[in-house]
Amino acid sequence: MATPVVTKTAWKLQEIVAHASNVSSLVLGKASGRLLATGGDDCRVNLWSINKPNCIMSLTGHTSPVESVRLNTPEELIVAGSQSGSIRVWDLEAAKILRTLMGHKANICSLDFHPYGEFVASGSQDTNIKLWDIRRKGCVFRYRGHTQAVRCLRFSPDGKWLASAADDHTVKLWDLTAGKMMSEFPGHTGPVNVVEFHPNEYLLASGSSDRTIRFWDLERFQVVSCIEGEPGPVRSVLFNPDGCCLYSGCQDSLRVYGWEPERCFDVVLVSWGKVADLAVCNDQLIGVAFSQSNVSSYVVDLTRVTRTGTVAQDPVQDSRPLAQQPAHPSAPLRRIYERPGTACGKPQRVKQNSESERRSPSSEDDRDERESRAEIQNAEEYNEIFQPKNSISRTPPRRSEPFPAPPEDDMVSAKEVTKPSPATDSQFPVPNLEVPPRPPAVTPTPAPKAEPAIIPATRNEPIGLKASDFLPAVKIPQQAELVDEDAMSQIRKGHDTMCVVLTSRHKNLDTVRAVWTTGDIKTSVDSAVAINDLSVVVDLLNIVNQKASLWKLDLCTTVLPQIEKLLQSKYESYVQTGCTSLKLILQRFLPLITDILAAPPSVGVDISREERIVQC
């Protein structure tokens, strides 16, 4: 009898080069768990389908880096806020700019769509919260009260409240109808990074840089419980769709919590670093993280994760569904959100504005359309997701099949894999770790061969891109032979992504070369560093390293911080270039530096000597 294949509980799904420059923000579509939007320092917003290598659509119009992005619930609209304080809303189905909203005086740190109306809330570094009407292109209300940057905004499921989290260590709850603050929740001792409403009950969760998660009762406006001992700042939390537990995306792990009483149900090791956003679909949790210009996606199989537990005082009662549990003096059942009926469940589209609005479009709207573009990069995937045949048969990727789990690399006992840290274990013991009701490998230990610490400097593949993405799939014996058109389609797949990366790099190198031709080596190196792209710095250092006489002491002060980054890179070629540069600097200037630092102080004022000491 064949041994059943043991699959992973968590695995890395994909890594893509999302922008020509650094990625500054991203968000997952919560309805489908398959749509990803990224904002970058290149002032673009790019849309991706999870586990597909090609960009679906690229949205332009912002003139400064995109700091925050958000999709509405049906995933038909997207809003993006920039470093300059401007906000732009695009209609994804119409592939065009919808509105440009101006009014904030600093970075846009947080955005959220109203669940039932065409409103957007924005929080900024200027400490203000603004509510915008997309149809009328105006600010409906401004909420003041925070004293530092507003990091997260969330509308309640019924659309009546707005929760805000800020760097001033507070969480505030705002009544949209009354236009005032309902309650303030103090208690955190560090900046609050995220807030999330329970999908059904009057309950709010907040995560902070003080490494705690607090749960707030929205009827009594008081804390329900506090989970301490997180391994790092809490940046991403998400309630399970049925509200049974809360997921916390920690540094290289996923933790599953309950709140009455506070407890940890499970810990899953995931090598995602600092995860930026979470979504749940098809009993799988999707997590995304970004580093420089790359975005990585990960999957956790929730069918193999403990999501509920029993309270020691009354295990029988706690195991029943929430709606069947009778009220208990120590744990009263909270109210349930009253959502609007079907009449207002689908908001009116912007194109259905009043007759006067349709008749007299402003010149500012025309300018927005000229300056902003929605460039469709992959027409086939765009039509599949955003151009349904009709509203009834709309079937975007949200109904797609779960991602298949890869087989386990190494059989490790559940006890060794899921054992949490001593601090967490003492406060929140994970139940049933030594009992094997689940498959043996609860969480995978990523094999070193899958994620090497150093990527070898292979010269037959460009750094950051996989040649396999641009080649035809390996032929399967049972598969029919590919026709020429199919083969060419496979070869062209991902071509646009490669062109964007290489074009951007060529443009940056041309900029540095223009300065280099003037003969000012120091200025050319400064321009390469200012581009904030290590690949350009590596290319320039490879040239300078060929002629040791180009190295000057003032050049070293600029290059040394970049060399430190290269030595910490995962790319072997970067490390080699950094080591070569450091070796040349030491060979050329070590005696000089030693003599200058060891020399006795001079009599009088010697400005040139003081400058050399500062450089050394």
Side-chain angles (χ1 to χ4, degrees):
M1 181 176 179
T3 304
V5 177
V6 179
T7 58
K8 293 184 177 182
T9 301
W11 65 94
K12 184 175 183 178
L13 191 65
Q14 183 190 37
E15 183 171 358
I16 57 174
V17 179
H19 287 267
S21 59
N22 287 346
V23 177
S24 50
S25 57
L26 58 76
V27 68
L28 279 167
K30 299 299 186 292
S32 68
R34 294 295 187 269
L35 189 62
L36 170 68
T38 61
D41 289 350
D42 56 4
C43 311
R44 285 176 173 262
V45 177
N46 292 338
L47 280 97
W48 309 81
S49 182
I50 293 292
N51 203 31
K52 294 186 179 180
N54 301 325
C55 178
I56 302 173
M57 188 189 303
S58 186
L59 309 174
T60 64
H62 278 298
T63 57
S64 59
V66 178
E67 297 289 324
S68 181
V69 288
R70 191 76 178 171
L71 290 157
N72 72 337
T73 303
E75 298 177 7
E76 298 169 348
L77 305 179
I78 186 172
V79 60
S82 72
Q83 204 172 73
S84 64
S86 67
I87 301 170
R88 291 176 185 262
V89 185
W90 285 272
D91 187 324
L92 299 180
E93 290 193 349
K96 68 175 184 179
I97 184 73
L98 208 58
R99 286 288 182 264
T100 298
L101 309 172
M102 308 292 290
H104 283 292
K105 300 178 182 178
N107 298 11
I108 304 297
C109 303
S110 53
L111 295 163
D112 197 25
F113 275 100
H114 192 276
Y116 299 107
E118 292 189 339
F119 299 95
V120 169
S122 61
S124 170
Q125 192 100 29
D126 62 13
T127 73
N128 290 326
I129 301 170
K130 293 193 175 187
L131 184 66
W132 307 85
D133 188 333
I134 302 176
R135 295 165 297 183
R136 294 180 174 81
K137 194 184 177 182
C139 178
V140 178
F141 206 86
R142 176 169 60 182
Y143 303 93
R144 297 178 176 177
H146 286 293
T147 58
Q148 295 185 43
V150 182
R151 292 298 173 188
C152 186
L153 293 173
R154 290 292 182 269
F155 284 102
S156 60
D158 60 2
K160 296 179 181 179
W161 299 338
L162 178 68
S164 60
D167 285 351
D168 58 11
H169 306 182
T170 64
V171 176
K172 297 181 187 294
L173 189 67
W174 309 87
D175 188 325
L176 299 181
T177 304
K180 64 180 181 180
M181 185 176 70
M182 291 178 58
S183 181
E184 177 178 331
F185 301 110
H188 285 294
T189 58
V192 187
N193 302 315
V194 62
V195 287
E196 197 72 35
F197 281 95
H198 190 281
N200 301 313
E201 301 180 25
Y202 276 27
L203 184 74
L204 181 72
S206 60
S208 168
S209 294
D210 63 8
R211 302 186 178 188
T212 66
I213 299 174
R214 291 179 178 266
F215 296 90
W216 310 93
D217 188 313
L218 300 185
E219 284 187 282
R220 303 179 178 181
F221 302 110
Q222 63 185 20
V223 65
V224 175
S225 58
C226 176
I227 294 175
E228 301 176 346
E230 285 284 281
V234 182
R235 295 184 178 87
S236 184
V237 297
L238 179 69
F239 280 101
N240 197 66
D242 63 2
C244 66
C245 63
L246 179 82
Y247 303 111
S248 174
C250 308
Q251 179 77 28
D252 288 327
S253 67
L254 173 72
R255 295 179 180 238
V256 188
Y257 290 117
W259 49 90
E260 285 183 317
E262 63 270 20
R263 51 198 163 164
C264 180
F265 294 137
D266 211 340
V267 179
V268 182
L269 302 182
V270 193
S271 58
W272 54 26
K274 297 178 181 178
V275 63
D277 198 19
L278 302 171
V280 173
C281 180
N282 293 330
D283 265 336
Q284 291 181 333
L285 182 137
I286 314 298
V288 286
F290 62 90
S291 175
Q292 296 183 350
S293 61
N294 293 347
V295 173
S296 302
S297 53
Y298 299 81
V299 181
V300 179
D301 185 357
L302 295 180
T303 61
R304 299 172 61 183
V305 175
T306 302
R307 289 179 277 182
T308 57
T310 56
V311 180
Q313 293 86 341
D314 195 351
V316 176
Q317 185 185 83
D318 189 69
S319 63
R320 282 183 283 172
L322 183 64
Q324 299 178 8
Q325 294 183 23
H328 193 281
S330 61
L333 187 64
R334 275 175 288 276
R335 290 176 58 187
I336 305 297
Y337 292 109
E338 298 177 0
R339 291 172 171 79
T342 55
C344 57
K346 174 72 173 178
Q348 290 184 344
R349 298 302 302 269
V350 174
K351 62 181 92 173
Q352 297 175 352
N353 284 345
S354 65
E355 184 178 352
S356 61
E357 289 178 317
R358 294 197 304 266
R359 188 172 54 244
S360 57
S362 65
S363 60
E364 189 174 353
D365 289 338
D366 295 337
R367 187 174 68 252
D368 289 343
E369 292 193 11
R370 289 195 303 268
E371 294 176 353
S372 303
R373 299 190 307 276
E375 303 170 359
I376 299 175
Q377 308 283 354
N378 190 311
E380 182 179 350
E381 292 180 9
Y382 167 78
N383 291 330
E384 178 185 351
I385 297 175
F386 300 115
Q387 297 258 326
K389 299 300 181 182
N390 55 67
S391 58
I392 298 178
S393 63
R394 174 181 171 85
T395 55
R398 68 187 67 175
R399 295 182 182 178
S400 60
E401 294 296 322
F403 294 116
E408 185 62 83
D409 294 323
D410 188 14
M411 295 297 295
V412 183
S413 67
K415 181 178 179 180
E416 293 176 350
V417 175
T418 61
K419 185 178 180 181
S421 61
T424 307
D425 190 41
S426 61
Q427 296 179 15
F428 306 104
V430 180
N432 300 329
L433 281 181
E434 300 184 6
V435 181
R438 293 178 279 165
V442 177
T443 60
T445 300
K449 60 183 180 182
E451 284 293 320
I454 297 294
I455 297 179
T458 53
R459 298 302 178 186
N460 60 340
E461 291 186 3
I463 292 175
L465 295 174
K466 297 179 180 178
S468 59
D469 293 340
F470 307 93
L471 298 175
V474 178
K475 183 179 177 181
I476 302 174
Q478 299 177 353
Q479 184 180 9
E481 187 173 355
L482 290 175
V483 297
D484 291 344
E485 292 180 357
D486 293 337
M488 291 299 297
S489 175
Q490 290 290 337
I491 293 173
R492 292 194 184 110
K493 195 173 184 180
H495 179 70
D496 291 339
T497 303
M498 173 174 271
C499 287
V500 168
V501 174
L502 297 182
T503 302
S504 173
R505 188 165 176 176
H506 185 267
K507 181 180 177 181
N508 292 338
L509 288 173
D510 277 344
T511 302
V512 177
R513 180 176 176 272
V515 182
W516 181 278
T517 54
T518 64
D520 190 347
I521 308 302
K522 174 69 164 58
T523 305
S524 63
V525 173
D526 288 339
S527 64
V529 173
I531 292 174
N532 197 22
D533 187 350
L534 277 180
S535 64
V536 176
V537 175
V538 169
D539 291 339
L540 185 59
L541 287 180
N542 285 332
I543 300 299
V544 178
N545 290 342
Q546 294 179 10
K547 192 173 182 181
S549 60
L550 294 177
W551 285 102
K552 306 295 180 184
L553 196 57
D554 59 343
L555 186 63
C556 299
T557 58
T558 303
V559 173
L560 282 174
Q562 302 302 313
I563 291 178
E564 183 181 2
K565 295 180 182 179
L566 296 179
L567 296 179
Q568 297 174 354
S569 173
K570 63 180 180 179
Y571 298 113
E572 183 184 359
S573 61
Y574 285 21
V575 177
Q576 289 176 347
T577 301
C579 290
T580 303
S581 300
L582 187 60
K583 178 181 176 181
L584 290 174
I585 291 173
L586 294 177
Q587 285 178 345
R588 188 170 179 82
F589 298 110
L590 183 59
L592 177 62
I593 295 173
T594 305
D595 293 342
I596 291 176
L597 296 179
S602 60
V603 179
V605 178
D606 188 347
I607 296 178
S608 61
R609 179 180 180 277
E610 291 179 358
E611 289 177 349
R612 288 196 300 271
I613 292 177
V614 171
Q615 291 176 349
C616 291

